[in-house]
Amino acid sequence: MNILLTCAGRRNYLVDFFRYGQTATTKIVGADADGNAAALQECDVAYQVPYLFAPEYINHLLAICVEESIDLVVSLSDLELPVLARSRCQFEEVGAKLLVSSPAVIDLCFDKLETARWLTKLGIKTALTFASVNEAIDALDASQVSFPLVVKPRWGSASIGVHSVFSVSELMHTVSLVHEQLVRRNIALGSIQRQTNLPDIVIQETLTGKEYGIDVLNDFNGSVRSIYVKEKLAMRAGETDKACVREHVGLDTVALLIGSNLKHIGNLDCDVFVDGDTASVLELNPRFGGGYPFSHLAGANYPAAVMDWAAGREHDCSKFGKQFDTIFAKADGLVEIGKPVLCSEALQDSQLTSRLKQDHNYSVSAERYTPAG
């Protein structure tokens, strides 16, 4: 099987997870806007592509899929998911299957306000979430919440722009600050409010208790096939740095309820806080999250399952091991930057692109993400 990892970045371990997920030979092709990305050095073939919001981005990925006979495309960036989800038909036309959920699922998970509303309707406790300062102040006055509160982008990534505030004046100042920062960044997160006139900031209550991450693996039909619950023991730059897989029947039940109703494709990374007997789900990320390596080392092999399903084969996830109560930690590593990286521009200028256009009515471009509603 030939696999394309897009927005490969620095996640070298996923290259190995997919390469050794099966005994059959697997070719790993990597793509990233940074030709010096660490993960590209581990791939069998590496491509430098335009920035993911460039109009020609999807065209370049499609050309790579044809050149390398790609069977499965796996995205490693949440910002890329909306772009890929809306281009599924083009990838399928060239024989590449996307490990990406539907646009509706991606939109829901990307939008922290809509995520909170969806979880509440499902009967799952989540952080009280407000779309305006006035709503938050009214809740404070009614003693529904208390300081500290959390201010964050409504459409956010990697804990960027997340602030804790401890007073009304700090709340008002921080909301204005984060909004200005989003506008200045002028990428997907910063352009949404101007495109849709929707509020681009949310204010949430601060959840307390132990923090857990849950990996919920669905097949390509959206059926839940595997669940791993991990207690987060340390965080670093918004990503799990140290964790331990735990046996937790209550969180298994919550995860099954989420996965069965969301019907995502592939892995769903859930952030949960447990305080006593109360579990509150904070965020849903429909991709291989930064906490997946802990599940993998404890016995999961999601890449093997995904590759089997993409090839039309069944995979028995019940045979995954679960090494409970063993702590794993990430560690820094170095790779030499010297692997030849191909430029996808060469594919765009070749006869390959002309044939692709002729054979598949090939015309698609990446657009800035505009949320539903």
Side-chain angles (χ1 to χ4, degrees), residues 171-192:
L171 169 64
M172 297 176 69
H173 170 75
T174 303
V175 167
S176 297
L177 173 65
V178 174
H179 173 73
E180 290 178 4
Q181 290 174 337
L182 290 177
V183 172
R184 186 171 64 250
R185 289 174 66 194
N186 196 33
I187 58 172
L189 308 184
S191 63
I192 287 173

Side-chain angles (χ1 to χ4, degrees), residues 91-152:
F91 283 93
E92 290 180 349
E93 286 176 357
V94 299
K97 200 171 187 68
L98 283 180
L99 188 69
V100 177
S101 297
S102 69
V105 170
I106 300 300
D107 289 350
L108 172 64
C109 296
F110 202 26
D111 186 335
K112 292 176 173 56
L113 182 60
E114 289 303 317
T115 296
R117 290 170 175 170
W118 183 82
L119 289 168
T120 300
K121 289 179 182 178
L122 199 58
I124 295 175
K125 184 173 174 55
T126 185
L128 290 175
T129 304
F130 311 102
S132 70
V133 171
N134 288 338
E135 287 183 14
I137 291 176
D138 288 343
L140 286 165
D141 291 341
S143 298
Q144 295 176 336
V145 294
S146 59
F147 288 112
L149 296 176
V150 178
V151 176
K152 62 176 68 171

Side-chain angles (χ1 to χ4, degrees), residues 32 46-50 60 64 340-349:
D32 199 281
Y47 283 90
Q48 183 172 8
V49 296
H60 282 247
I64 293 171
V341 177
L342 304 174
C343 181
S344 61
E345 291 286 352
L347 298 182
Q348 291 297 100
D349 296 334

Side-chain angles (χ1 to χ4, degrees), residues 7 11 49 68 70 79 115 187 191 219 224 246 256 347 356 365 368:
C7 294
R11 300 179 70 180
V49 296
E68 302 294 341
I70 296 298
L79 296 181
T115 296
I187 58 172
S191 63
D219 58 26
V224 179
R246 300 293 193 190
L256 181 60
L347 298 182
L356 194 57
S365 63
R368 289 192 185 278

